[in-house]
């Protein structure tokens, strides 16, 4: 592959158009029109917790797939995965600030759109070209550094206090360094047009799935947060078993 541009720039060029579309998605339009309340933010964060707590482990799965010269990135890659451990606790802090009983959050079941965002990366790593997974985390790292500040302004406009946005705020800063890591991974791992196509595909699908999750979380709140016919008391007793199997 001969090009003047870095691999990071090549992927970003393809991703930005998908991301621009995503920012016009149904949920984002509702946010821009102030048709949402802090309850929608709470519902989204409750569900997002279930996705974010899988990120570090998923990245460790990807490490297993690195072969030959790809192992040059292993130290950085695993260091990055370790740095993601516990980021879900920022979500719990934000939810506490919003007055939520976070113990209930830990035992809830994910809506299908959350499972899509957990199973897609897992499937990409194990059943597809693992570089598709790299596209998925490219999206997760680029989104907060590109638009985290704008999202916080929109959330403030619907009544969410800044003190309850530490997860987004931290990531709009921390992920600047993670973008640099992504650039390093891409230089080593993308060696052909096919490799590049795999990363771009993962970044675009990951973007679609993430914003579909936002739409569906807001719908879930509108529907009164249905919990699969189980009461919270029943969920506390049973979901750990369901979730262990599911995840
Ligand atoms: Fe993170
Ligand atoms: Fe990150």
């Amino acid at each position: 592959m001969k090009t003047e541009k870095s691999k990071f720039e090549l992927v970003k060029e393809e991703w930005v158009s998908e991301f621009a579309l995503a920012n016009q998605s149904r949920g984002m339009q509702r946010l821009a029109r102030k048709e949402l309340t802090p309850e929608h933010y709470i519902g989204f964060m409750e569900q997002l917790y279930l996705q974010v707590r899988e990120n570090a482990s998923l990245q460790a799965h990807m490490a297993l797939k690195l072969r030959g010269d790809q192992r040059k990135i292993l130290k950085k890659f695993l260091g990055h995965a370790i740095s993601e451990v516990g980021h879900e606790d920022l979500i719990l802090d934000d939810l506490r600030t919003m007055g939520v009983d976070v113990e209930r959050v830990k035992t809830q079941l994910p809506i299908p759109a959350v499972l899509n965002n957990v199973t897609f990366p897992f499937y990409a790593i194990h059943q597809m070209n693992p570089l598709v997974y790299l596209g998925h985390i490219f999206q997760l790292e680029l989104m907060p550094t590109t638009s985290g500040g704008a999202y916080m302004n929109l959330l403030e406009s619907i009544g969410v206090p800044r003190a309850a946005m530490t997860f987004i705020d931290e990531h709009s800063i921390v992920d600047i360094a993670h973008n640099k890591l992504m650039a390093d991974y891409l230089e080593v791992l993308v060696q052909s047009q096919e490799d590049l196509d795999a990363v771009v595909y993962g970044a675009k699908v990951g973007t679609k799935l993430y914003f579909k999750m936002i739409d569906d979380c807001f719908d879930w709140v509108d529907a009164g947060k249905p919990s699969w016919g189980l009461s919270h008391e029943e969920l506390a007793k049973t979901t750990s078993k369901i979730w262990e199997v599911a995840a």
Side-chain angles (χ1 to χ4, degrees), residues 80 84 141 175 178:
H80 180 179
E84 298 290 354
E141 302 293 0
D175 284 343
H178 292 175

Side-chain angles (χ1 to χ4, degrees), residues 92-111:
L92 296 185
D93 290 344
D94 290 342
L95 286 169
R96 270 190 212 97
T97 303
M98 296 300 287
V100 173
D101 169 7
V102 297
E103 290 310 310
R104 290 160 77 101
V105 174
K106 292 178 189 171
T107 55
Q108 70 186 331
L109 285 172
I111 62 169

Side-chain angles (χ1 to χ4, degrees), residues 59 80 83-84 87 137 140-141 144 171 174-176 178-179:
Q59 197 161 340
H80 180 179
S83 80
E84 298 290 354
H87 275 188
I137 52 171
L140 290 181
E141 302 293 0
H171 281 87
V174 166
D175 284 343
I176 294 170
H178 292 175
N179 286 356

Side-chain angles (χ1 to χ4, degrees), residues 172-230:
S172 63
I173 299 160
V174 166
D175 284 343
I176 294 170
H178 292 175
N179 286 356
K180 293 200 181 83
L181 289 173
M182 285 303 310
D184 293 345
Y185 306 154
L186 290 168
E187 284 309 317
V188 172
L189 299 182
V190 174
Q191 294 296 329
S192 67
Q193 185 62 43
E194 288 73 25
D195 291 341
L196 185 68
D197 291 345
V199 178
V200 168
Y201 173 77
K204 289 186 173 181
V205 171
T207 303
K208 278 254 186 291
L209 291 179
Y210 196 94
F211 283 79
K212 175 77 166 71
M213 176 173 69
I214 294 175
D215 290 352
D216 287 8
C217 283
F218 294 161
D219 290 345
W220 179 65
V221 173
D222 290 336
K225 297 184 181 173
S227 55
W228 311 99
L230 298 167

